[in-house]
Amino acid sequence: MSTSERLIESTRELLWERGYVGTSPKAILERAGAGQGSMYHHFRGKPDLALAAIRRTADELCATAERVLAGPGTPFERIETYLLRERDVLRGCPIGRLTMDPDVIASDELRAPVDETITRIRQLIAKTVQEGQRQGQFAPELDGEEIGAAVLATIQGGYVLARASGSPAAFDAGVRGLLSLLTPRTSA
């Protein structure tokens, strides 16, 4: 792995663990096993490196959502698979966590990929709900954008509940509750 790749990957991990404010250039260099001038040779500084790391994480999260939500199964099954997919619940969301970082939120440049990721995933879920409506699986009065927002709120809130309790059970309970509300009803 090249030095710039090690710097990006180290920054991704540190942002997930510590947030932007808690991620120092020194910690990045130590984690990457890179020399003192390496970061400034490849990047303009911490904000530039953080942006590259955030974009890579955002791209991966969007690719995972696209793969699951456009994959096989009914629209409900795809949403269920997305909600139940493997996550490191006690670490939280590597993108959602950045919304609590004042320096990220204060920077239009750093906040943009965070907002774009959340928007893109919400749109993918909305599209899946609309497909389910056309197939008669979901009620026509459901609003796909609102369901997308509810799915994301459940996931992000589930991370908070799990981290607060120190147990993934709270995350799992939120997901099960949302799925019970979304489960297609069969006519009698």
Side-chain angles (χ1 to χ4, degrees), residues 5-158:
E5 283 299 308
R6 289 195 325 267
L7 289 167
I8 291 170
E9 289 304 313
S10 296
T11 303
R12 288 178 64 193
E13 284 296 315
L14 287 165
L15 288 172
W16 196 2
E17 292 169 16
R18 304 177 183 180
Y20 182 83
V21 172
T23 298
S24 68
K26 180 180 177 183
I28 294 168
L29 293 171
E30 286 176 4
R31 176 83 52 107
Q36 186 124 12
S38 297
M39 182 166 76
Y40 299 100
H41 174 72
H42 296 284
F43 302 94
R44 291 187 312 262
K46 178 183 166 183
D48 189 41
L49 176 54
L51 182 60
I54 293 167
R55 281 191 177 138
R56 178 157 310 157
T57 299
D59 289 346
E60 284 183 8
L61 287 175
C62 285
T64 297
E66 288 173 11
R67 192 170 44 255
V68 171
L69 293 167
T74 67
F76 173 80
E77 289 168 343
R78 294 192 316 258
I79 291 171
E80 179 181 46
T81 299
Y82 180 72
L83 282 164
L84 296 174
R85 77 177 182 78
E86 185 76 25
R87 290 179 168 85
D88 193 348
V89 175
L90 294 179
R91 282 185 78 189
C93 175
I95 288 292
R97 191 175 166 113
L98 294 173
T99 63
M100 301 306 293
D101 198 306
D103 285 5
V104 171
I105 296 306
S107 165
D108 290 341
E109 190 174 37
L110 293 175
R111 188 181 65 249
V114 173
D115 182 43
E116 290 162 8
T117 301
I118 291 168
T119 299
R120 178 70 184 129
I121 294 172
R122 188 180 67 242
Q123 290 170 341
L124 288 166
I125 295 164
K127 183 178 172 184
T128 306
V129 168
Q130 291 160 358
E131 180 185 342
Q133 288 171 314
R134 286 190 300 275
Q135 295 175 7
Q137 189 172 23
F138 293 124
E141 64 271 8
L142 289 180
D143 182 299
E145 287 287 329
E146 290 177 358
I147 299 300
V151 168
L152 287 173
T154 298
I155 291 169
Q156 294 303 319

Side-chain angles (χ1 to χ4, degrees), residues 175-186:
V175 166
R176 282 191 314 273
L178 180 59
L179 286 171
S180 72
L181 294 172
L182 290 176
T183 301
R185 307 289 183 239
T186 56

